[in-house]
Amino acid sequence: MAISQKVTGFMENSSWIRKMFEEGIRLKKEFGEENVFDLSLGNPVIEPPDEVRKALIESARDESPGLHRYMPNAGFADVRAAIAESLSPECKVVLSANDVVMVCGAAGGLNITLKTLLDPGDEVIIFTPYFVEYLFYADNHGGKAVAVPTLDDFRLDFEALQNALNEKTKAVIINSPNNPTGVVYSRQELQELARVLKAHSDKLGKAVYLISDDPYKKITFDGVEAPNIMEFYQNSIYITSHSKDIALPGERIGFVVVHPQCESAGPLMAGLIFCNRALGFVKVPALIPPVV
Ligand SMILES: Cc1ncc(COP(=O)(O)O)c(C=O)c1O
């Protein structure tokens, strides 16, 4: 076998995702586009706002030299500063450009974060049902994803979490609003999660990092609030993108924010910036200025 046994196994186990996508195409042909709701790849059904198209056209017309060159691995400083300023109120913490790294979508953000954090054998807790790529992302960087069940209504089961935490736990990933369940964790749930992880970190004498993977953060309805984890937990890393909220998954615009009071915040930021380069993302695409 020319390719690795591990990748062969991963492809076999995840071939159903591609099959669902193909089945969606077949069903659309049979029953019409308007009658099939294809949620398989999470592609937005709406088009990006007009402002994005205008910004794209303006960027393409801009003849200033250097626009399409390499930028710093963390992204343009003015863009990072604008994101920090816009996010500070919702995070209830004063952020600066130094807390933000631009990345190739939330997927790129998750990969640079896990690469920066994980040593071989470190465990990453995820909650069922989860975005399946978490399994591969943890494995990419020598970690092991540990799936923890949720309650019947897909809310966090703190007893199950408590049972899964151990000395190898390096990080916990949450996703709210959640793909695939749609659950949005409440303020009380996030407070309780923060309490449990702080107690475990104190017991271990080292941080358990909480990664909040939130590309759906801005997509809530009927006044439902999706609080930012930074408000509740210092050892938190917030990852998001504009793949879903302004329907731009093809443009790979995302960012990672590290809580400024996070344990080892300085080395963590330096690691994220280095891993952007080391994983070959190099930097976020430059053409479209992000809209936050
Ligand atoms: C929960 C979750 N995280 C991350 C991603 C990756 O998003 P991006 O396109 O920003 O890389 C997705 C995409 O569907 C997702 O559903």
Side-chain angles (χ1 to χ4, degrees), residues 2-21:
I3 71 166
S4 89
Q5 289 177 13
K6 188 159 85 175
V7 170
T8 306
F10 281 169
M11 288 194 303
E12 276 163 18
N13 289 339
S14 66
S15 59
W16 56 270
I17 301 176
R18 176 71 28 201
K19 278 190 199 133
M20 276 178 64
F21 180 59

Side-chain angles (χ1 to χ4, degrees), residues 25 32 45 57 67 83 97 105 123 127 141 154 194 212 252 263 290:
I25 295 175
V45 286
I57 292 165
L67 192 68
I83 289 173
E123 294 187 359
F127 296 97
H141 309 295
F154 303 121
S212 196
R252 317 306 299 137
E263 190 177 302

